[in-house]
Amino acid sequence: GAVVSQHPSWVICKSGTSVKIECRSLDFQATTMFWYRQFPKQSLMLMATSNEGSKATYEQGVEKDKFLINHASLTLSTLTVTSAHPEDSSFYICSARIGTKNLAKNIQYFGAGTRLSVL
Amino acid sequence: RKEVEQDPGPFNVPEGATVAFNCTYSNSASQSFFWYRQDCRKEPKLLMSVYSSGNEDGRFTAQLNRASQYISLLIRDSKLSDSATYLCVVNMNTGGFKTIFGAGTRLFVKA
């Protein structure tokens, strides 16, 4: 399958700092990437859809000024958690979609995730 | 009603058992279907796509029933390493393309 690299895998930071997470598609071009958050024993929650060269589309309830997404190239999307607080502590996972002409058959491949702990 | 619903689990089975997971989806505009596996504190990984004719990959068999809006995953001869959460995933086009993940079913295979 396709390879998606996510970095860093684990971050511990002080409250009030900003944290940047990178998501790269290593062997394919991804016009669309997704950012998810997952709390322990809960399902994935889609935060936003990141489209190369345009603004991200955020899901309801997700603050776009809090979670800044930049998709500057076909292989890189970044998520910045600004002024992080303890309640932002979670597992953040990105995915990239391999596109075919038939959008419905698109498969998402996931990065390994970033575990964020805000003290 | 959730757009994608799965058996709540957890399933606790002995090694060698056969176990089946069910998933239902509410939107008839759903177009493609997948099963992912997620290990604890890891990212989801694609297990298999689900086709109308049904498909098999080793010990795993996936089936789709569009009339009943139902997807299944059958695991035969369960191994300890099959212990994970299994996610049912549906792509749908409802005025915009989106992917919906089920909440997952937890499987524990015990020796």
Side-chain angles (χ1 to χ4, degrees), chain A residues 36 38 43-44 91 97 103-104 106-108 110-112 115, chain B residues 31-32 34 36 38 41-44 46 91 97 99 101 103:
Chain A
Y36 295 84
Q38 187 174 35
S43 59
L44 290 169
F91 189 46
R97 186 167 66 196
L103 281 177
N106 283 190
I107 294 172
Q108 290 187 35
F110 288 84
R115 197 159 300 281
Chain B
Q31 297 180 329
S32 57
F34 309 90
Y36 279 74
Q38 185 175 23
R41 302 169 81 87
K42 298 285 188 181
E43 77 278 18
L46 179 66
N91 284 340
F97 178 81
T99 299
F101 285 78

Side-chain angles (χ1 to χ4, degrees), chain A residues 29-92:
Chain A
Q29 292 183 332
T31 54
T32 303
M33 291 184 173
F34 304 88
W35 288 96
Y36 295 84
R37 182 165 57 182
Q38 187 174 35
F39 293 103
K41 299 185 179 181
Q42 294 188 23
S43 59
L44 290 169
M45 186 192 80
L46 179 64
M47 298 175 66
T49 301
S50 170
N51 297 297
E52 185 267 336
S54 65
K55 291 182 179 180
T57 302
Y58 289 81
E59 296 299 303
Q60 193 172 12
V62 179
E63 299 175 59
K64 62 181 181 181
D65 295 328
K66 171 77 173 176
F67 300 99
L68 299 178
I69 291 173
N70 183 279
H71 195 152
S73 76
L74 287 171
T75 59
L76 174 64
S77 176
T78 60
L79 168 68
T80 301
V81 183
T82 61
S83 187
H85 289 95
E87 58 266 28
D88 297 324
S89 298
S90 186
F91 189 46
Y92 292 86

Side-chain angles (χ1 to χ4, degrees), chain B residues 33-91:
Chain B
F33 311 88
F34 309 90
W35 284 101
Y36 279 74
R37 169 197 170 126
Q38 185 175 23
D39 291 287
C40 188
R41 302 169 81 87
K42 298 285 188 181
E43 77 278 18
K45 292 184 179 178
L46 179 66
L47 181 64
M48 57 198 308
S49 302
V50 188
Y51 303 119
S52 296
S53 56
N55 48 306
E56 186 175 314
D57 182 3
R59 297 181 294 107
F60 299 84
T61 301
Q63 292 203 311
L64 166 64
N65 184 321
R66 284 190 183 272
S68 301
Q69 296 183 185
Y70 169 95
I71 307 151
S72 65
L73 176 68
L74 183 77
I75 304 176
R76 290 180 298 278
D77 189 22
S78 299
K79 310 292 184 190
L80 294 176
S81 57
D82 293 334
S83 298
T85 296
Y86 291 83
L87 305 172
C88 172
V89 180
V90 176
N91 284 340

